[in-house]
């Protein structure tokens, strides 16, 4: 980035009629991804060192297959504008992401586009198990679908595009702009292709404009959904993160 030039301002997109299928709560220290009311992924710093399947959960109110397919194709070859001064990719018109935005919980979301820093970690949770790592990396993405991706031919095709200069975009959701961890909503095959090509991926971030604090119901749902494993370290890690969620929920009550 040119010295003294700040990144372009983000775009705020209003979602007044969101269906609440996708919701993220938490802050920079921990996050909980809830899909259709069910806790799916829990991440947190314990101090120890794709659009299609999402739409299915919306039932009769889900975006149409044609809309989802059009969005998926666009994400594979987006026409993002580039700031001529800074070289930063500018966020798209929120209407372009309407099929995905409709699945979010109601509220305002900040949309930014970022080329991932060199240090990018991909984390694939094991079922409902909490991840045990201290996020010292510049950025970590938690996968929400099968990893490695199932369709090798799709990964190869994206890798060819990337090596030819194409920049397909990933979509990730994070609970707060200060967090170093996000949930990958779309782009698992693209991410694998970026890794294969040795190129830093382009990520479109969605972040609640006002981060949602943990609620007591988040603590109760997380406690039931994420049982402690057999390993002592896993149990201690889970207990620390759950205790953090409980304490934060009390403060925000």
């Amino acid at each position: 980035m040119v010295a003294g030039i700040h990144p372009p301002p983000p775009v705020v997109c209003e979602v007044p009629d969101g269906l609440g299928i996708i919701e993220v709560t938490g802050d920079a220290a921990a996050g909980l991804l809830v899909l259709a009311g069910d806790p799916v992924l829990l991440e947190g710093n314990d101090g120890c060192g794709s659009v299609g399947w999402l739409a299915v959960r919306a039932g009769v109110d889900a975006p149409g297959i044609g809309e989802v397919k059009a969005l998926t194709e666009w994400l594979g070859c987006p026409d993002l504008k580039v700031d001529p001064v800074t070289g930063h990719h500018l966020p798209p018109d929120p209407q372009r992401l309407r099929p995905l935005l409709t699945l979010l919980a109601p509220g305002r979301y900040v949309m930014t586009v970022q080329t991932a820093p060199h240090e990018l970690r991909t984390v694939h949770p094991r079922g409902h198990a909490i991840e045990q790592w201290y996020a010292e990396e510049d950025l970590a993405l938690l996968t929400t679908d099968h990893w490695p991706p199932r369709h090798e031919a799709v990964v190869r095709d994206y890798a060819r595009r990337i090596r030819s200069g194409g920049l397909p975009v990933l979509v990730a959701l994070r609970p707060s702009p200060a967090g170093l961890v996000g949930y990958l909503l779309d782009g698992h095959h693209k991410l694998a292709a970026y890794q294969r090509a040795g190129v830093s991926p382009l990520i479109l971030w969605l972040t609640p404009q006002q981060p949602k604090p943990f609620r007591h119901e988040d603590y109760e749902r997380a406690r039931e959904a994420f049982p402690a494993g057999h390993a002592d370290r896993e149990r201690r890690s889970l207990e620390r993160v759950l205790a953090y969620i409980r304490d934060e929920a009390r403060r925000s009550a």
Side-chain angles (χ1 to χ4, degrees):
M1 185 170 65
V2 180
I5 298 180
H6 299 287
V11 170
V12 176
C13 41
E14 187 84 35
V15 187
D17 53 350
L19 298 174
I21 302 301
I22 307 171
E23 184 177 8
V24 63
T25 61
D27 52 27
L32 175 66
L33 179 67
V34 178
L35 301 180
D38 297 325
V40 175
L41 292 176
L42 173 66
E43 61 80 19
N45 178 358
D46 67 0
C48 299
S50 263
V51 176
W53 69 269
L54 290 171
V56 170
R57 295 174 180 241
V60 296
D61 294 321
I65 295 176
E67 294 178 279
V68 173
K69 187 174 185 297
L71 174 58
T72 301
E73 291 177 350
W74 181 82
L75 291 170
C77 189
D79 53 348
L80 295 176
K81 295 180 180 179
V82 176
D83 187 301
V85 177
T86 66
H88 290 290
H89 287 84
L90 301 175
D93 183 335
Q95 191 62 32
R96 170 63 75 175
L97 296 181
R98 195 62 193 169
L100 177 58
L101 295 178
T102 302
L103 302 176
L104 296 173
R108 287 185 173 181
Y109 293 82
V110 176
M111 184 167 51
T112 56
V113 178
Q114 170 197 31
T115 299
H118 178 68
E119 294 296 333
L120 173 65
R121 180 173 182 177
T122 303
V123 181
H124 183 62
R126 303 179 302 279
H128 275 184
I130 185 174
E131 277 302 318
Q132 302 174 38
W133 85 95
Y134 184 85
E136 294 177 343
E137 291 78 11
D138 290 340
L139 182 64
L141 285 179
L142 272 69
T143 60
T144 61
D145 203 350
H146 192 275
W147 189 265
R150 294 184 174 92
H151 305 294
E152 173 61 23
V154 176
V155 175
R156 288 200 303 267
D157 179 61
Y158 278 128
R160 283 194 295 268
R161 295 189 203 181
I162 294 168
R163 293 189 181 104
S164 299
L167 291 174
V169 67
L170 318 180
V171 181
L173 178 69
R174 58 184 170 188
S176 79
L180 297 178
V181 180
Y183 303 98
L184 183 61
L185 298 182
D186 181 80
H188 294 76
H189 291 83
K190 303 182 195 80
L191 177 57
Y194 269 116
Q195 293 176 344
R196 187 169 301 180
V199 177
S200 294
L202 190 65
I203 303 175
L204 191 157
W205 287 103
L206 293 170
T207 310
Q209 187 179 42
Q210 293 293 331
K212 298 181 179 181
F214 284 117
R215 303 156 297 190
H216 181 71
E217 62 190 84
D218 293 321
Y219 168 70
E220 294 294 344
R221 292 189 297 182
R223 187 178 62 174
E224 293 177 3
F226 303 102
H230 298 293
D232 287 343
R233 181 165 185 252
E234 181 175 337
R235 177 180 53 78
R236 291 195 300 270
S237 177
L238 178 62
E239 289 174 350
R240 289 190 182 99
V241 176
L242 287 175
Y244 175 80
I245 294 175
R246 181 197 61 213
D247 294 343
E248 289 300 305
R250 289 173 176 170
R251 292 190 183 94
S252 63

